[in-house]
Amino acid sequence: MTRTALVCGAGGFIGSHLVTALKAQGFRVRGADLKHPEFGETDADDFILGDLRDQSVVAQVIDQPFDEIYQLAADMGGAGFVFVGQNDADIMHNSAAININVLSACLNTGNRRIFYSSSACIYPQENQQDPDNPNCVEHSAYPANPDSDYGWEKLFSERLYQAFQRNHGFECRIARYHNIFGPLGTWQGGREKAPAALCRKIAMADQDGTIDIWGDGRQTRSFLYVDECVEGTIRLMRSEVVEPVNIGSDELISISDLAVMIAKLAGKRITHRYIDGPEGVRGRVSDNRMIAQRLGWAPAARLQDGLRPTYDWIAAQVADGGGDAA
Ligand code: NAD
């Protein structure tokens, strides 16, 4: 029997890579999203274009039992989208509506096994003030104090999935993703994240050019290449781990050093100009002890290895169609 999977958010960055991976494993895959993948054809067997805030659309998408359901659809973006304030009502309303609709439709159709993509943004801001020692161990999530409404919605939805698990016999698997990057991700337009934005700025800069960096550049993060994110997602889905778990890299790097690494790959001598901009917390890194212990697997690739194909892909996009230097 062919196994079946549904990917909500299949037109997005991680969702489109996940569809490709599930197809390669022999699944029959349905994708659903507001939009088709931006940078290429979907590999899904069928793709429903629709708004998952609308219950009637979700009833059409979840109209049968699936072996695996992955819920990645969300109204989201990088710091320039989630930390600026103007998008908070949309972020909270739209993503919560999607999650409520998806869970209700699963309840009605006997679907019980579902993966939900939460975020490192749920962690309390006071644990992420020291750029060299951020604390993102899973059990530190409470008492809760995320620094954005995006993080609060993710935390609410984690709890929603867990409540369905407790009260309705669901088997939910919840990942807290930490900064995923790679080819086919948003790289301009305001929703892109730091690695893509820096790749774009450096690709557009002259050989001895200057790029703008938001903040003082000393804020730290870790970045996970999309292939390992997809592998972790599928492993978690098929595991028995019912608590939320980090899926991220534990290689901590400052934003300045990230820009230096990318400039080296590009073979350019780049000067940094530090400007005001949305920065988020001072430090954030994935704590991988739980995933290693519970899955017997943790992301291991080096940042530099994922940056090479990412930079090359973004540089090709810039060469093809311009791009916005800001
Ligand atoms: P993405 O924005 O590329 O993908 C999300 C997709 O959801 C988009 O294609 C979008 O069109 C779709 N969507 C939004 N509203 C919708 C609606 N009303 N109906 C149907 N589709 C809708 O983002 P991504 O980077 O692929 O992230 C996937 C998931 O992982 C998201 O839930 C995100 O919050 C979470 N996450 C991502 C990261 C990261 O670094 N990329 C980090 C933490 C968590």
Side-chain angles (χ1 to χ4, degrees), residues 39 87 91-92 158 161 164 223 227 241 269 300-301 311 314 319:
F39 307 108
N87 306 307
I91 289 170
M92 297 195 83
E158 281 191 5
Y161 282 86
F164 271 65
F223 301 97
D227 287 0
V241 180
R269 290 163 53 89
Y311 178 78
I314 292 176

CSV table of all heavy atoms in Angstrom, one decimal, residues 39 87 91-92 158 161 164 223 227 241 269 300-301 311 314 319:
chain,number,residue,atom,x,y,z
A,39,PHE,N,9.8,29.2,-6.3
A,39,PHE,CA,11.0,29.0,-7.1
A,39,PHE,C,11.1,27.7,-7.9
A,39,PHE,O,12.2,27.2,-8.1
A,39,PHE,CB,12.3,29.2,-6.2
A,39,PHE,CG,12.3,30.4,-5.4
A,39,PHE,CD1,12.1,30.4,-4.1
A,39,PHE,CD2,12.5,31.7,-6.1
A,39,PHE,CE1,12.1,31.6,-3.3
A,39,PHE,CE2,12.5,32.8,-5.3
A,39,PHE,CZ,12.3,32.8,-4.0
A,87,ASN,N,2.6,43.7,12.0
A,87,ASN,CA,2.0,42.5,11.5
A,87,ASN,C,1.5,41.6,12.6
A,87,ASN,O,1.0,40.5,12.3
A,87,ASN,CB,3.1,41.7,10.7
A,87,ASN,CG,3.7,42.6,9.6
A,87,ASN,OD1,3.0,43.2,8.8
A,87,ASN,ND2,5.0,42.7,9.6
A,91,ILE,N,-0.4,38.0,12.2
A,91,ILE,CA,0.4,36.8,12.5
A,91,ILE,C,-0.4,35.9,13.5
A,91,ILE,O,-0.5,34.7,13.3
A,91,ILE,CB,1.8,37.2,13.2
A,91,ILE,CG1,2.7,37.8,12.1
A,91,ILE,CG2,2.4,36.1,13.9
A,91,ILE,CD1,4.0,38.5,12.6
A,92,MET,N,-0.9,36.6,14.6
A,92,MET,CA,-1.6,35.8,15.6
A,92,MET,C,-2.9,35.2,15.1
A,92,MET,O,-3.2,34.0,15.2
A,92,MET,CB,-1.9,36.6,16.8
A,92,MET,CG,-0.6,37.1,17.5
A,92,MET,SD,-0.8,37.7,19.1
A,92,MET,CE,-0.8,36.3,20.1
A,158,GLU,N,1.3,25.3,20.2
A,158,GLU,CA,1.8,24.1,20.9
A,158,GLU,C,0.9,23.5,21.9
A,158,GLU,O,0.6,22.3,21.9
A,158,GLU,CB,3.1,24.4,21.6
A,158,GLU,CG,4.4,24.6,20.8
A,158,GLU,CD,5.6,24.7,21.7
A,158,GLU,OE1,5.6,24.5,22.9
A,158,GLU,OE2,6.7,24.9,21.1
A,161,TYR,N,-2.2,21.8,20.3
A,161,TYR,CA,-1.9,20.5,19.8
A,161,TYR,C,-1.8,19.5,21.0
A,161,TYR,O,-2.3,18.4,20.9
A,161,TYR,CB,-0.6,20.5,19.0
A,161,TYR,CG,-0.8,21.0,17.5
A,161,TYR,CD1,-0.8,22.3,17.3
A,161,TYR,CD2,-1.2,20.1,16.5
A,161,TYR,CE1,-1.0,22.8,16.0
A,161,TYR,CE2,-1.4,20.6,15.2
A,161,TYR,CZ,-1.4,22.0,15.0
A,161,TYR,OH,-1.6,22.4,13.7
A,164,PHE,N,-5.2,18.6,22.3
A,164,PHE,CA,-5.9,17.6,21.4
A,164,PHE,C,-5.3,16.2,21.7
A,164,PHE,O,-6.0,15.2,21.6
A,164,PHE,CB,-5.8,18.0,19.9
A,164,PHE,CG,-7.0,18.9,19.5
A,164,PHE,CD1,-7.1,20.2,20.0
A,164,PHE,CD2,-7.9,18.4,18.6
A,164,PHE,CE1,-8.2,21.0,19.6
A,164,PHE,CE2,-8.9,19.2,18.1
A,164,PHE,CZ,-9.1,20.5,18.7
A,223,PHE,N,22.1,28.5,12.8
A,223,PHE,CA,21.4,28.3,11.6
A,223,PHE,C,21.4,26.9,11.1
A,223,PHE,O,22.5,26.3,11.0
A,223,PHE,CB,22.0,29.3,10.5
A,223,PHE,CG,21.9,30.7,11.0
A,223,PHE,CD1,23.0,31.3,11.6
A,223,PHE,CD2,20.8,31.4,10.8
A,223,PHE,CE1,23.0,32.6,12.0
A,223,PHE,CE2,20.7,32.8,11.3
A,223,PHE,CZ,21.8,33.4,11.8
A,227,ASP,N,18.1,20.7,4.6
A,227,ASP,CA,18.1,19.3,4.5
A,227,ASP,C,18.0,18.6,5.8
A,227,ASP,O,17.3,17.6,6.0
A,227,ASP,CB,19.3,18.8,3.7
A,227,ASP,CG,19.2,19.1,2.2
A,227,ASP,OD1,18.2,19.7,1.8
A,227,ASP,OD2,20.2,18.8,1.5
A,241,VAL,N,8.2,10.6,20.5
A,241,VAL,CA,8.5,11.8,21.4
A,241,VAL,C,7.3,12.7,21.4
A,241,VAL,O,7.0,13.3,20.3
A,241,VAL,CB,9.7,12.6,20.9
A,241,VAL,CG1,10.0,13.8,21.8
A,241,VAL,CG2,11.0,11.6,20.9
A,269,ARG,N,35.8,41.4,-0.3
A,269,ARG,CA,36.3,42.1,0.9
A,269,ARG,C,35.2,43.1,1.3
A,269,ARG,O,35.0,44.1,0.6
A,269,ARG,CB,37.6,42.9,0.6
A,269,ARG,CG,38.8,42.0,0.4
A,269,ARG,CD,39.9,42.8,-0.2
A,269,ARG,NE,40.2,44.0,0.5
A,269,ARG,CZ,41.1,44.0,1.5
A,269,ARG,NH1,41.7,43.0,1.9
A,269,ARG,NH2,41.3,45.2,2.2
A,300,ALA,N,24.2,17.7,12.5
A,300,ALA,CA,25.6,17.7,12.7
A,300,ALA,C,26.4,18.5,11.6
A,300,ALA,O,27.6,18.7,11.8
A,300,ALA,CB,26.1,16.3,12.7
A,301,ALA,N,25.7,18.9,10.6
A,301,ALA,CA,26.5,19.6,9.5
A,301,ALA,C,27.0,20.9,9.9
A,301,ALA,O,26.4,21.6,10.8
A,301,ALA,CB,25.5,19.7,8.3
A,311,TYR,N,24.4,30.5,-0.8
A,311,TYR,CA,25.0,31.7,-1.4
A,311,TYR,C,25.0,31.6,-2.9
A,311,TYR,O,24.5,32.5,-3.6
A,311,TYR,CB,26.4,32.0,-0.9
A,311,TYR,CG,27.0,33.2,-1.6
A,311,TYR,CD1,26.6,34.5,-1.2
A,311,TYR,CD2,27.8,33.1,-2.8
A,311,TYR,CE1,27.0,35.6,-1.9
A,311,TYR,CE2,28.2,34.2,-3.5
A,311,TYR,CZ,27.8,35.5,-3.0
A,311,TYR,OH,28.2,36.6,-3.7
A,314,ILE,N,21.4,32.1,-4.2
A,314,ILE,CA,20.9,33.5,-4.1
A,314,ILE,C,21.7,34.4,-5.1
A,314,ILE,O,21.1,35.3,-5.7
A,314,ILE,CB,21.0,34.0,-2.6
A,314,ILE,CG1,20.0,33.3,-1.8
A,314,ILE,CG2,20.8,35.6,-2.6
A,314,ILE,CD1,20.0,33.6,-0.3
A,319,ALA,N,21.7,37.6,-10.0
A,319,ALA,CA,22.2,37.8,-11.3
A,319,ALA,C,21.0,37.7,-12.3
A,319,ALA,O,21.0,38.5,-13.3
A,319,ALA,CB,23.2,36.7,-11.7
